[in-house]
Amino acid sequence: MNYLKLNGCSLIQDQVLEEVFLKQQFPEGKDSDVSFGTDNKLLTDDNGAYYVIQLVSISTRVSGKTGTLGYYKVYQAGNYRLY
């Protein structure tokens, strides 16, 4: 599991910050063809509370495919892992 802080904060409060966090951490975040999304549900597991963030290739989705690049669990503590 990776541990990173969002702008010096050790706690991520909502799914909007979760998306911003991933955009800052992944090269895909700087790619205008990649969209980040969530269903806004706060979930929990043994590692804490998290949101599931989906990365999607816009051009692939427009061409009729799913465009899904991956799903990530982004924890409120700033940890993330592949879902």
Side-chain angles (χ1 to χ4, degrees):
M1 182 179 299
N2 298 306
Y3 178 78
L4 298 168
K5 291 185 178 181
L6 175 62
N7 297 329
C9 298
S10 61
L11 184 66
I12 297 174
Q13 297 293 332
D14 61 33
Q15 71 279 355
V16 173
L17 289 179
E18 302 278 349
E19 292 176 43
V20 170
F21 175 78
L22 278 182
K23 286 181 181 182
Q24 289 178 348
Q25 303 308 320
F26 290 94
E28 293 89 344
K30 295 166 185 60
D31 186 342
S32 62
D33 184 54
V34 176
S35 174
F36 290 68
T38 181
D39 62 5
N40 300 322
K41 293 180 184 176
L42 183 62
L43 305 169
T44 58
D45 64 12
D46 292 340
N47 295 308
Y50 66 91
Y51 291 97
V52 176
I53 306 294
Q54 178 185 23
L55 279 71
V56 175
S57 166
I58 297 168
S59 60
T60 303
R61 181 167 243 165
V62 168
S63 74
K65 300 178 180 130
T66 67
T68 300
L69 300 173
Y71 290 90
Y72 288 86
K73 288 182 180 182
V74 181
Y75 292 88
Q76 288 187 316
N79 305 320
Y80 67 90
R81 66 170 49 172
L82 195 57
Y83 184 71

